Amino acid sequence: MTKPETELSVVIPIYNEEDNIEPLLEELFPILRNTGKTFEVLCVDDASSDNSLSVLNGQKKKFPELRIIRHTINSGESAAGATGFANAEGRVIITIDGDQQNDPADIPALLKTLEGADAVCGVRRKREDDWVKRISSRVANKFRNRVTGDTISDAGCTFRALKAETLREIPVFNGMHRFLPTLLRLQGYKVVEILVNHRPRTRGKSKYGIGNRMFRGLIDCFAIRWWRRRCVPANRTSTDNRKK
């Protein structure tokens, strides 16, 4: 019997989120089943030092659509996302954080909007973080757009839906996940934004702050500015080149 084609792949980077994994999956799976689409959920454990892997293995018994991939060394969120992209089987890929701050109830809206675009990026309607993060994010977004020439409203929101073919030639680097919308636009893809819910973190600790994000992000902006002048369009071939 032929295995049905996977329509959706949900990629979730995991790093020390042992308390968030179970409630997130309990919330996520019913929503995915209600879409009526075939799906898989890929949790990429980025060499967690807590019990995240053990919790994931326990959840596998409950959710057969769950796939677990583990990094042998901690490599960061962008690397975890790239690992998920490389192993995903779905025609559409959804990225969502593992800390429960993204609301899985927004997934149907992301998928509906994707019907008229190549990628859909969430914009947090009301960011439920402390004032330092909110202000630093606002400043970073303005600086990023000024340097890169883009107009992304909320590059820090990684709640997205993308057609799998858009990711074939995306460069992988530490910090890639924040620039993914810009990278896609530079390759000629249509990227749109929609408002999504954002919830306060109630379990675990945030992995990001000004110290480990701001200065590296500034350098990355100039790298993207260079890449803007060097990148090539993704869809370069004529439809006549397709196999007969």
Side-chain angles (χ1 to χ4, degrees):
M1 184 175 178
T2 304
K3 179 183 176 182
E5 181 184 23
T6 303
E7 296 174 276
L8 304 177
S9 293
V10 180
V11 174
I12 311 176
I14 298 290
Y15 179 63
N16 289 352
E17 295 289 1
E18 60 182 2
D19 294 326
N20 284 307
I21 293 169
E22 183 174 0
L24 172 60
L25 297 182
E26 290 281 0
E27 186 178 18
L28 175 64
F29 272 85
I31 290 170
L32 293 173
R33 292 192 176 114
N34 284 340
T35 65
K37 299 179 182 297
T38 55
F39 69 89
E40 62 179 358
V41 175
L42 288 79
C43 285
V44 182
D45 178 44
D46 191 26
S48 294
S49 58
D50 65 356
N51 292 318
S52 291
L53 183 61
S54 177
V55 174
L56 285 170
N57 286 327
Q59 293 298 298
K60 176 68 177 175
K61 302 172 184 176
K62 189 185 307 182
F63 302 113
E65 300 93 343
L66 176 63
R67 294 173 58 193
I68 304 167
I69 305 172
R70 177 168 170 78
H71 283 174
T72 56
I73 56 174
N74 180 251
S75 303
E77 184 174 353
S78 290
T83 297
F85 298 160
N87 287 274
E89 298 178 356
R91 290 187 287 108
V92 169
I93 296 177
I94 298 169
T95 57
I96 186 171
D97 287 341
D99 56 13
Q100 289 197 91
Q101 290 196 261
N102 298 141
D103 187 350
D106 285 318
I107 287 177
L110 288 170
L111 294 176
K112 180 65 177 177
T113 307
L114 190 64
E115 294 175 5
D118 298 307
V120 181
C121 301
V123 176
R124 289 166 286 194
R125 181 178 288 107
K126 180 183 178 183
R127 186 167 179 181
E128 296 293 344
D129 285 319
D130 60 50
W131 67 271
V132 175
K133 280 190 175 183
R134 293 198 303 271
I135 292 176
S136 62
S137 180
R138 192 175 301 124
V139 171
N141 278 315
K142 289 182 178 179
F143 180 83
R144 181 184 294 110
N145 287 339
R146 176 70 66 85
V147 174
T148 64
D150 203 359
T151 55
I152 294 297
S153 303
D154 190 0
C157 180
T158 55
F159 195 14
R160 299 162 177 156
L162 316 101
K163 293 178 180 176
E165 63 263 26
T166 65
L167 299 168
R168 287 177 301 184
E169 296 184 355
I170 288 298
V172 177
F173 57 92
N174 197 334
M176 173 268 290
H177 63 283
R178 299 188 194 95
F179 294 92
L180 186 56
T182 299
L183 294 171
L184 293 175
R185 281 181 172 168
L186 291 177
Q187 289 188 329
Y189 291 112
K190 181 179 180 181
V191 179
V192 300
E193 299 176 301
I194 65 170
L195 293 174
V196 294
N197 294 325
H198 190 245
R199 306 183 292 195
R201 177 185 268 274
T202 58
R203 301 176 177 89
K205 296 181 179 180
S206 174
K207 312 306 183 296
Y208 295 113
I210 293 178
N212 67 354
R213 181 169 61 178
M214 184 175 72
F215 296 109
R216 187 173 65 191
L218 295 177
I219 296 172
D220 288 346
C221 285
F222 290 100
I224 297 298
R225 185 170 182 170
W226 172 89
W227 197 73
R228 182 187 188 96
R229 297 193 297 269
R230 297 292 193 272
C231 69
V232 296
N235 296 317
R236 301 182 292 277
T237 59
S238 166
T239 54
D240 293 337
N241 293 328
R242 292 180 298 183
K243 292 182 179 180
K244 302 296 186 182

